[in-house]
Amino acid sequence: MRLRNRPGAMEKLTAHPEYVIQQPETLKGKWRGNFNNDNPVHIEIGTGKGQFIIETAKQNPHVNFVGIELQTSVLLSVLEKQLEEELPNLLLLQADAANLQEYFEEGEVGRIYLNFSDPWPKNRHEKRRLTYKTFLTTYEKVLADDGEIIFKTDNQGLFEYSLVSFSEYGAKLEDVKLDLHHSDVEDNVMTEYEEKFSKKGNRIYRAIIGFEN
């Protein structure tokens, strides 16, 4: 999800510390306390414009959500939605997924959402794919023992690559849908991208992944 650079995006993000975390490393191991409850913490890596995490947070008030996005202009779109909704269980973080262990303690996260990640189709860019083994190592460390990854994409090549990556890593493929929108799943929340491309007839793939304790 790429947007044109929006002038003043960073300034607008920093102007709302009630929703956009400025020093996430200070919250490592303390995210529940920052939400003032003991509810589980779920994160989305790559928020897009925020449709998914806003709606998911609305539907699950007893879960704490953290939306993580690297691009400031994209995250600003999420913040604008959050300023309208004022959801108490949603915080935003401008950060690189490779640095998750700097922000979350081992076992602190209950679920990770990877929605329509950049497929990085060229072989030389394999290490940038969010389902590459080094990312899986990071996810495993921050996830609780019963934690899981929910991965969705419309890119068949990325999905096939990811299934192999999960398997070779030793992760558990708990559920695989080769055509999500024509499956028995009833609680799927769509992203903007998913909505747009599924209307064009694109098949949506989904996998739920856990790790051996």
Side-chain angles (χ1 to χ4, degrees), residues 21-209:
I21 301 301
Q22 307 300 324
Q23 295 180 303
E25 63 277 0
T26 65
L27 293 181
K28 184 175 180 178
K30 304 175 183 177
W31 284 92
R32 287 183 179 85
N34 195 66
F35 280 103
N36 296 312
N37 60 54
D38 197 38
N39 296 334
V41 176
H42 294 180
I43 66 177
E44 182 186 19
I45 299 175
T47 60
K49 295 180 181 179
Q51 177 172 299
F52 173 86
I53 200 162
I54 290 288
E55 185 59 32
T56 303
K58 287 170 65 176
Q59 292 183 13
N60 298 274
H62 300 301
V63 176
N64 301 318
F65 291 91
V66 182
I68 301 173
E69 173 59 51
L70 183 59
Q71 299 180 63
T72 56
S73 293
V74 177
L75 192 62
L76 178 57
S77 294
V78 191
L79 174 62
E80 290 170 343
K81 290 181 174 66
Q82 171 65 327
L83 290 173
E84 294 179 3
E85 299 287 348
E86 298 183 340
L87 298 169
N89 61 328
L90 173 60
L91 293 173
L92 306 175
L93 175 57
Q94 193 267 326
D96 190 326
N99 301 325
L100 282 184
Q101 287 178 260
E102 296 180 16
Y103 314 134
F104 296 93
E105 190 62 78
E106 290 190 13
E108 192 169 16
V109 176
R111 179 180 292 171
I112 296 173
Y113 292 100
L114 301 176
N115 290 319
F116 299 88
S117 309
D118 192 328
W120 295 105
K122 295 181 180 179
N123 289 337
R124 68 175 184 271
H125 292 151
E126 179 186 11
K127 293 182 179 180
R128 299 183 185 182
R129 297 170 191 161
L130 292 181
T131 53
Y132 183 66
K133 60 185 177 181
T134 54
F135 284 104
L136 298 184
T137 298
T138 297
Y139 305 152
E140 183 179 19
K141 289 183 182 298
V142 302
L143 278 170
D145 289 343
D146 60 349
E148 62 186 10
I149 299 169
I150 299 184
F151 168 64
K152 287 197 296 185
T153 182
D154 69 325
N155 187 295
Q156 182 178 350
L158 177 63
F159 191 69
E160 291 172 350
Y161 166 87
S162 300
L163 293 183
V164 172
S165 181
F166 298 143
S167 180
E168 290 181 344
Y169 186 83
K172 299 181 294 183
L173 293 174
E174 297 177 348
D175 185 69
V176 175
K177 301 297 185 191
L178 300 179
D179 192 353
L180 177 62
H181 292 181
H182 292 91
S183 72
D184 57 355
V185 175
E186 297 180 350
D187 60 350
N188 179 57
V189 176
M190 289 197 284
T191 72
E192 294 92 345
Y193 186 96
E194 181 178 0
E195 202 168 65
K196 175 182 177 181
F197 283 90
S198 63
K199 287 179 179 177
K200 294 183 177 181
N202 292 34
R203 181 180 294 189
I204 306 300
Y205 304 90
R206 191 193 75 172
I208 301 178
I209 303 96

